[in-house]
Amino acid sequence: MTAVRYSANPPMEFPCIDKLETRQRGLMAGPEPTYEKVVTGYEVYHHQKPFVCDHGGVLPQLDIAYETWGHLNHEKSNAILLHTGLSASSHARSHARNKNPGWWEKFIGPGLAIDTDKYFVICTNVIGGCYGSTGPGSVDPATGKRYATTFPLLTINDMVRAQFHLLDSMGIDHLHASVGASMGGMQSVCAAALYPTRVGRLVSISACARSHPYSIALRFAQRQALMADPNFNRGFYYDGVMPHLGMKLARSIATVTYRSGPEWEQRFGRRRWAPDQPPALCPDFLIETYLDHQSERFCLQYDANSLLYVSKAMDMFDISRSITRRLDSQRNHAIAELERQQNNSVKDTTISTAGGANRAVCMNINEQPESTTGQSRIETGEEIENDLVAGVSDALQPALVLGVQSDILFPVKQQKEIADILRRAGNTKVTYYELDAMYGHDTFLIDFVTVGAAIKGHLENSNR
């Protein structure tokens, strides 16, 4: 009889996996998180006409969740449109209908960076999101079921066009300013370029004029981690178990990009959670416990499909003229096809194109754009920059561009690029600041003194 042999070493313990398995069993018992209830107190604009997206998809109707602060003046000239980052809701500041602190609580209010004694502030949840605006988790009126991954691909341009539909419904023809950070900065640049006569001032913080390979790669890794979750089910998980593990891994990757090494050196160093215990493969260092906590908190508060769609829109962002024209051409072709299918229906059911100001460039769908930016061939730096300059040629309003030296997700090089192309396009009122802050990309959420002072000065400077 062969003797049973035992390893000289005991098996490792995995309390983190035990925790995940416990959470998984809880999710299997339901119910599915209702993301739109994470935030309350917002208003909803309902756009009843079909909304045709840049890549040809169609939303039969559209909801935009939004919140406001301050008062719109009689001339309707003091409105500021505040654009959000990837996963933010419309709740930028507390108010009577929702007293919870907003994500920019210390920036918005009487006497603050965006002074609500002077300005009427509007913040929306972007389309594709999950906090009240139409997104993959919304019900498709054509089927009575959630869109899931039948939801059309979006662009940053689509998000901005939807926001201008909202402005049209409010009777706001001209904004005092368009303000945004991160993906919000992309939207702000886009709004200034697409609606130059409707945007009075531009504020872009830690954003870009086009997404660069490094940030694309990081967001790709997040999506791959998410889609590898067995519960993802190609996006049709709403009647089952949500991809909790994939979302947690995706958020862990993202969190690494949002902060900086110097901050973490100071905040965590190499300290361990339980230094008197043997090393563990589960969260052990304080930085690991931080990532574990942040990702666990996020993964049940944001819809996985929204993360896929909105992050992909960020990857595809490019304000170059050739790209904008190509998107306009695709959308116009889709509009014409839909109108043909509707058999030239009456005017009140025709397709609404661009927030009351159709700036689409009339171009045959088969016509080649003048630049190949965004295509497969290798472009020269001069070609890329010239195309970007052409893309913002009408954005001549006073502009503030802020960058953070410790930002690894949107490095200062990309902020300089925004300022440079605006200046080359003929904008003589561009202000560029580079902040020596240690908080990385999230500086725009944290440093309300420095960032806030720059914003306040730009918005209130009557000489610009």
Side-chain angles (χ1 to χ4, degrees), residues 4 7 74 81 88 112 114 167 198 208 260 268 315 348 362 451:
V4 178
S7 172
H74 179 73
L81 181 59
L112 298 183
I114 303 180
L167 295 179
R198 298 186 66 176
C208 64
S260 76
F268 303 113
D315 288 354
D348 63 352
C362 295
V451 175

Side-chain angles (χ1 to χ4, degrees), residues 294-360:
Q294 291 293 324
S295 58
E296 181 67 31
R297 187 179 67 170
F298 173 81
C299 65
L300 296 179
Q301 294 184 340
Y302 196 72
D303 185 24
N305 281 330
S306 287
L307 178 62
L308 296 180
Y309 276 85
V310 177
S311 69
K312 187 62 181 181
M314 292 179 71
D315 288 354
M316 297 301 295
F317 180 64
D318 187 336
I319 202 62
S320 301
R321 180 167 63 182
S322 66
I323 296 297
T324 302
R325 286 186 170 182
R326 187 180 303 124
L327 294 176
D328 285 344
S329 179
Q330 290 174 179
R331 189 177 69 258
N332 288 339
H333 180 74
I335 290 170
E337 177 63 19
L338 187 58
E339 289 179 337
R340 185 190 66 78
Q341 293 175 2
Q342 293 178 331
N343 197 24
N344 297 317
S345 53
V346 293
K347 184 176 181 181
D348 63 352
T349 59
T350 54
I351 309 306
S352 179
T353 56
N358 185 6
R359 193 177 172 273

Side-chain angles (χ1 to χ4, degrees), residues 54-55 154-158 160 183 185-187 189-191 193-194 207-213 215-216 219 311-328 359 371-377 379-380 383-392 410 414 417-418 421:
D54 284 335
H55 291 300
L154 297 173
T155 64
I156 298 296
N157 302 39
D158 287 328
V160 170
M183 188 186 81
M186 294 179 178
Q187 295 170 69
V189 170
C190 183
L194 297 186
C208 64
R210 61 188 180 105
S211 285
H212 286 235
S215 61
I216 292 172
R219 287 188 289 269
S311 69
K312 187 62 181 181
M314 292 179 71
D315 288 354
M316 297 301 295
F317 180 64
D318 187 336
I319 202 62
S320 301
R321 180 167 63 182
S322 66
I323 296 297
T324 302
R325 286 186 170 182
R326 187 180 303 124
L327 294 176
D328 285 344
R359 193 177 172 273
S371 168
T372 55
T373 298
Q375 297 183 12
S376 59
R377 86 170 180 86
E379 305 131 342
T380 66
E383 285 179 315
I384 294 171
E385 187 168 330
N386 288 342
D387 203 5
L388 287 169
V389 170
V392 297
F410 289 87
Q414 295 178 34
E417 182 175 62
I418 296 173
I421 63 172

Side-chain angles (χ1 to χ4, degrees), residues 125-421:
N125 177 224
V126 296
I127 58 171
C130 58
Y131 295 136
S133 293
T134 299
S138 303
V139 173
D140 182 350
T143 66
K145 298 180 179 180
R146 297 187 194 237
Y147 282 103
T149 45
T150 67
F151 196 77
L153 284 172
L154 297 173
T155 64
I156 298 296
N157 302 39
D158 287 328
M159 297 173 185
V160 170
R161 287 190 298 110
Q163 291 165 345
F164 273 78
H165 281 306
L166 169 63
L167 295 179
D168 289 343
S169 74
M170 294 177 165
I172 298 173
D173 295 325
H174 187 267
L175 291 168
H176 179 73
S178 173
V179 179
S182 191
M183 188 186 81
M186 294 179 178
Q187 295 170 69
S188 191
V189 170
C190 183
L194 297 186
Y195 300 94
T197 62
R198 298 186 66 176
V199 176
R201 295 170 190 238
L202 160 65
V203 177
S204 173
I205 308 167
S206 296
C208 64
R210 61 188 180 105
S211 285
H212 286 235
Y214 179 74
S215 61
I216 292 172
L218 289 167
R219 287 188 289 269
F220 171 77
Q222 294 172 50
R223 291 193 296 271
Q224 290 292 296
L226 169 52
M227 292 187 291
D229 189 314
N231 292 315
F232 175 64
N233 194 30
R234 289 172 167 77
F236 292 87
Y237 50 79
Y238 294 108
D239 295 326
V241 180
M242 66 162 293
H244 160 257
L245 178 57
M247 278 292 280
K248 182 170 183 175
L249 293 174
R251 187 61 173 185
S252 293
I253 297 169
T255 303
V256 172
T257 71
Y258 294 155
R259 306 304 274 261
S260 76
E263 182 207 0
W264 284 352
E265 285 281 359
Q266 179 176 310
R267 186 173 176 184
F268 303 113
R270 287 179 47 83
R271 295 188 297 278
R272 295 174 58 217
W273 177 65
D276 56 335
Q277 298 296 318
L281 296 179
C282 283
D284 184 14
F285 287 96
L286 290 185
I287 182 60
E288 294 174 328
T289 64
Y290 170 79
L291 289 176
D292 184 65
H293 171 74
Q294 291 293 324
S295 58
E296 181 67 31
R297 187 179 67 170
F298 173 81
C299 65
L300 296 179
Q301 294 184 340
Y302 196 72
D303 185 24
N305 281 330
S306 287
L307 178 62
L308 296 180
Y309 276 85
V310 177
S311 69
K312 187 62 181 181
M314 292 179 71
D315 288 354
M316 297 301 295
F317 180 64
D318 187 336
I319 202 62
S320 301
R321 180 167 63 182
S322 66
I323 296 297
T324 302
R325 286 186 170 182
R326 187 180 303 124
L327 294 176
D328 285 344
S329 179
Q330 290 174 179
R331 189 177 69 258
N332 288 339
H333 180 74
I335 290 170
E337 177 63 19
L338 187 58
E339 289 179 337
R340 185 190 66 78
Q341 293 175 2
Q342 293 178 331
N343 197 24
N344 297 317
S345 53
V346 293
K347 184 176 181 181
D348 63 352
T349 59
T350 54
I351 309 306
S352 179
T353 56
N358 185 6
R359 193 177 172 273
V361 179
C362 295
M363 187 172 86
N364 186 284
I365 189 64
N366 295 316
E367 181 181 342
Q368 292 296 316
E370 61 188 75
S371 168
T372 55
T373 298
Q375 297 183 12
S376 59
R377 86 170 180 86
I378 302 299
E379 305 131 342
T380 66
E382 184 178 4
E383 285 179 315
I384 294 171
E385 187 168 330
N386 288 342
D387 203 5
L388 287 169
V389 170
V392 297
S393 60
D394 293 329
L396 302 178
Q397 57 275 96
L400 171 65
V401 182
L402 293 181
V404 179
Q405 292 177 359
S406 59
D407 189 344
I408 63 172
L409 185 59
F410 289 87
V412 290
K413 176 183 177 182
Q414 295 178 34
Q415 316 318 312
K416 291 177 181 177
E417 182 175 62
I418 296 173
D420 288 346
I421 63 172

